[in-house]
Amino acid sequence: MPTKKQLDIESIHAYGLDIINRTIYVMPDEPVMDTNPKVAAELQKNLDILNYYGNKPIKVISANSGGDWFSGFSMYNSIKHSKSPVDYYMTGSACSMGTVIPQAARTRYIYTNTDFMVHLGESEHSGIPKTVESSVEHFRRYRDVMYSIYAERCQYGEFFVNKKYKLGEVDAFIREMVDKKTDWWMGAKEALVYGFVDAIV
């Protein structure tokens, strides 16, 4: 394990990885989707490196306004199956897939004044009718997976605990809110009350 004197500033800035403090920075600096194949691959590699050095908790700091559906679930899976527990810190923006990915973490933190937004995202389908029907069916399956992920974590939120909602009722409530608002925007406190996060930093 590197010593404190060997802190690699260049690696931290170039790859978003601080081995000494077991911290990964997921903050893309490109004017494109925050969630994309490149970001997903980098997260997996950095998790593998830190897991190689041990199994102490890993800290992920992220500003993520969303992006590619498949890359987002890849990042979710990388965190979910990490040998070391992962604590996720949302800052600035947590929107779309940027709200799904943190649900894989052991503890989900959000910084004050961070925007949190849940929605279904966008999906384009083209081709012959059967192809379009298959694509729509696939989109609906992933939609249900997303709601299931939210409900599994949100059921312990203050709002749902106070109302004594069962898991299915939590799922139904989240679906209803997204259907009603399309883009369900929340501040840090509201995200905490609904159970999308565990604590405000």
Side-chain angles (χ1 to χ4, degrees), residues 52-145:
Y52 170 80
Y53 282 116
N55 56 10
K56 291 183 179 179
I58 294 171
K59 181 177 182 179
V60 172
I61 301 177
S62 174
N64 192 325
S65 60
D68 179 60
W69 188 276
F70 301 106
S71 298
F73 275 107
S74 175
M75 294 168 73
Y76 174 92
N77 290 335
S78 295
I79 293 171
K80 188 76 172 178
H81 297 286
S82 170
K83 181 179 70 175
S84 308
V86 176
D87 295 325
Y88 202 101
Y89 290 75
M90 292 163 261
T91 182
S93 173
C95 302
S96 193
M97 280 307 299
T99 66
V100 177
I101 298 165
Q103 306 307 318
R106 177 182 67 172
T107 308
R108 305 154 299 161
Y109 296 95
I110 188 169
Y111 283 88
T112 305
N113 299 322
T114 295
D115 286 327
F116 192 96
M117 190 271 285
V118 175
H119 69 177
L120 288 180
E122 299 178 357
S123 179
E124 295 182 3
H125 310 284
S126 62
I128 62 174
K130 285 187 177 180
T131 300
V132 173
E133 290 171 4
S134 179
S135 296
V136 171
E137 182 181 345
H138 179 261
F139 176 78
R140 287 173 176 164
R141 183 174 67 83
Y142 264 101
R143 175 201 61 188
D144 291 342
V145 169

Side-chain angles (χ1 to χ4, degrees), residues 147 170-182 184:
Y147 282 130
V170 177
D171 185 300
F173 179 90
I174 296 172
R175 288 173 187 259
E176 181 181 346
M177 290 296 288
V178 172
D179 184 59
K180 181 170 66 175
K181 293 177 176 290
T182 305
W184 183 13

Side-chain angles (χ1 to χ4, degrees), residues 5-16:
K5 292 181 180 179
Q6 294 174 309
L7 187 64
D8 190 345
I9 302 298
E10 185 177 345
S11 291
I12 294 174
H13 282 276
Y15 304 106

